[in-house]
Amino acid sequence: MTTATPRPLAVTTGDPAGIGPDVILASWLRRGETAAPAFYVLGDPAQLNARAAKLGAAVPVAPCSPAEAPALFDDALPVVSLDHRLSHGCGKPDPADAPGIIESIDRAVADVFEGRAAGMVTAPISKKPLYQAGFDHPGHTEYLGALAGQRTGQTVLPVMMLAGPKLRAVPVTIHIPLRAVFDTLTTQLIVDTCRVVAHDLKTRFGIAAPRLALAGLNPHAGEGGALGLEDEAIVHPAVEALRADGIDARGPLPADTMFHDRARAGYDAAICMYHDQALIPAKALGFDDSVNVTLGLPFIRTSPDHGTAFEIAGSGKALPDSFLAALRMAAEMAAHEIRTAA
């Protein structure tokens, strides 16, 4: 019995040489026991058939349109064929796959905008072969923000959140070197990020009054300026501005005491100042079942919190838990969004 959604979820193919195909196939096999929502893959049926054969997985692949996917889902893996064919190899990314990987993302975005899909779930990509093909975005999150901006004609601030059973964590700055954080982090960026988080926690997670805990940038949140002035000069004014907006925000808080059990009970999302400050505790507390959610987009997007793991692709060792969690979370977000709109 699968979780009902008004429309299926669109799943991107990710890098076909990684574990994306493995976890997609495994998720379909476990659809009944995990109550996975109906989804279809924007991919290459031949490539998925080849990976299923390598894994010894009895997964019938059914080429179809998005509209046909829900009726097929219980008996076969629905696949909407890409124009670009994908290589069948495992473990080594092929730059020739880049056009198909990008096409899969582009078409998933088109499907959610045009009402064919309730949301999108992205399999992991490897950036290097995409860069070699001319891809000029730091990662998935930034590319989806650019696509959303092109379609809406508005500036979109995509916000990354790692969400698991024990913690929701948001990095304000994402894929930049640590030395660049001090030049990039501003009060306005923190405020804008937190406004997106508060809005989406209400509309897509059903949290009526989100509580945000803002981590300090420096050790001990600067310790009154003794360990850096940024927390008083940048983070504290952001907290004051958010409170003036009616958002329950607190901080800056020492990051080393924010993530134990009692501390986490006091907030709904931890707002962190840089990538690893958010992702280390998020992955430590929920490596197999956390989900990467992109907030601030005019559509729902989730993904597993792991990468391509080329070294185990095609071996049968890849666990589908995070991908299944991403599917379920996307369906739950879509349901919350419908209830909020109503």
Side-chain angles (χ1 to χ4, degrees):
M1 184 67 179
T2 57
T3 301
T5 53
R7 290 156 289 159
L9 298 170
V11 169
T12 66
T13 193
D15 193 304
I19 63 170
D22 302 36
V23 298
I24 290 169
L25 293 163
S27 295
W28 183 84
L29 283 170
R30 291 178 56 186
R31 66 200 179 285
E33 67 184 87
T34 61
F39 65 88
Y40 61 89
V41 185
L42 288 152
D44 180 347
Q47 187 270 333
L48 286 164
N49 274 320
R51 183 62 60 87
K54 183 173 181 61
L55 292 168
V59 179
V61 172
C64 67
S65 69
E68 295 168 329
L72 295 169
F73 185 73
D74 282 344
D75 299 314
L77 176 64
V79 180
V80 177
S81 297
L82 299 173
D83 294 332
H84 294 88
R85 302 279 73 83
L86 300 173
S87 62
H88 296 183
C90 297
K92 185 177 181 181
D94 185 345
D97 286 327
I101 296 168
I102 295 169
E103 181 195 352
S104 182
I105 299 169
D106 292 348
R107 288 180 58 177
V109 169
D111 283 353
V112 291
F113 264 104
E114 295 164 21
R116 292 183 288 272
M120 62 186 291
V121 180
T122 57
I125 60 173
S126 174
K127 299 178 185 66
K128 184 176 179 180
L130 297 184
Y131 292 158
Q132 292 171 337
F135 186 79
D136 59 357
H137 299 271
H140 249 140
T141 300
E142 295 86 353
Y143 184 51
L144 291 170
L147 292 177
Q150 290 170 13
R151 283 188 164 263
T152 63
Q154 300 175 348
T155 300
V156 174
L157 176 63
V159 172
M160 174 193 288
M161 180 171 76
L162 263 287
K166 295 181 179 179
L167 175 67
R168 299 183 190 94
V170 174
V172 176
T173 61
I174 310 177
H175 297 118
I176 60 174
L178 188 57
R179 68 172 61 248
V181 170
F182 289 85
D183 294 328
T184 304
L185 190 70
T186 65
T187 297
Q188 192 62 53
L189 179 59
I190 297 170
V191 170
D192 290 345
T193 299
C194 290
R195 285 173 177 161
V196 168
V197 175
H199 175 271
D200 280 21
L201 288 180
K202 288 180 182 179
T203 60
R204 292 177 172 172
F205 287 82
I207 301 173
R211 302 164 299 167
L212 308 183
L214 279 71
L217 174 63
N218 294 298
H220 303 175
E223 203 162 288
L227 297 177
L229 302 176
E230 291 82 5
D231 292 292
E232 285 300 313
I234 299 173
V235 185
H236 182 71
V239 173
E240 293 299 308
L242 292 164
R243 288 176 177 165
D245 279 353
I247 295 173
D248 184 351
R250 61 200 72 174
L253 303 173
D256 62 350
T257 57
M258 274 183 57
F259 300 106
H260 61 78
D261 292 348
R262 293 193 307 278
R264 295 197 314 275
Y267 58 81
D268 298 300
I271 310 300
C272 303
M273 298 303 113
Y274 55 93
H275 182 279
D276 284 9
Q277 191 181 55
L279 271 66
I280 288 173
K283 293 190 176 187
L285 288 167
F287 187 78
D288 290 327
D289 48 13
S290 288
V291 177
N292 184 347
V293 185
T294 305
L295 308 178
L297 297 173
F299 53 84
I300 291 166
R301 180 263 178 151
T302 66
S303 71
D305 75 343
H306 57 70
T308 49
F310 291 119
E311 66 278 5
I312 62 170
S315 70
K317 296 179 181 178
L319 297 176
D321 302 61
S322 183
F323 195 82
L324 281 161
L327 289 165
R328 290 193 296 270
M329 186 170 289
E332 291 163 5
M333 290 170 67
H336 279 303
E337 197 168 56
I338 291 169
R339 285 195 290 269
T340 300

